[in-house]
Amino acid sequence: QVQLVESGGGLVQAGGSLRLSCAASGRTFSGYGMGWFRQAPGKEREFVAAINSMRTATRYKDSVKGRFTISRDNAKNTVYLQMNSLKPDDTAVYYCAASKGLSAVAVEYDYWGQGTQVTVSS
């Protein structure tokens, strides 16, 4: 079992930055790939970024490449999402999730956090 708790969301102006954190509990955090997803009002949940268990591979949604960076610290059982050059379109609830691979597909994730709100004003 893995329990996930996100933090770091908030209100920021366009062009600003935020760093989201996701703290995991459970002995097997280092064995899971971790992902970030987001869901805006009236829209489906979408993939944002993922990192594999050994930090050797990452993948990103095209629209966030070059602006967002996913990282993890297995010693601290934490995964991060550094978000720079934020745009109003980035406004959403952001969720972290754990899977056995490096997937961009939500159904392949076994565990989910409760989400943290990110609001980008224009």
Side-chain angles (χ1 to χ4, degrees):
Q1 289 283 340
V2 178
Q3 291 79 43
L4 303 172
V5 179
E6 302 95 335
S7 62
L11 174 63
V12 64
Q13 289 187 334
S17 298
L18 283 174
R19 188 176 82 154
L20 305 183
S21 299
C22 174
S25 61
R27 296 178 298 170
T28 58
F29 171 78
S30 62
Y32 283 88
M34 299 297 297
W36 286 96
F37 289 75
R38 67 187 182 187
Q39 187 167 19
K43 295 186 177 181
E44 294 186 352
R45 190 169 298 190
E46 64 178 8
F47 170 76
V48 176
I51 186 168
N52 69 347
S53 60
M54 298 305 293
R55 303 178 298 173
T56 56
T58 57
R59 60 190 302 182
Y60 295 92
K61 177 181 174 61
D62 284 347
S63 64
V64 307
K65 287 180 181 178
R67 299 190 298 122
F68 290 11
T69 302
I70 188 170
S71 62
R72 66 189 294 165
D73 185 337
N74 287 343
K76 295 183 178 180
N77 281 6
T78 302
V79 62
Y80 305 98
L81 186 67
Q82 178 66 44
M83 305 186 295
N84 299 328
S85 303
L86 282 161
K87 305 175 181 180
D89 284 349
D90 295 318
T91 295
V93 177
Y94 283 70
Y95 300 89
C96 71
S99 78
K100 284 297 188 180
L102 186 68
S103 177
V105 180
V107 295
E108 295 183 359
Y109 283 77
D110 300 314
Y111 303 103
W112 292 82
Q114 82 291 346
T116 186
Q117 176 70 47
V118 172
T119 302
V120 185
S121 63
S122 57

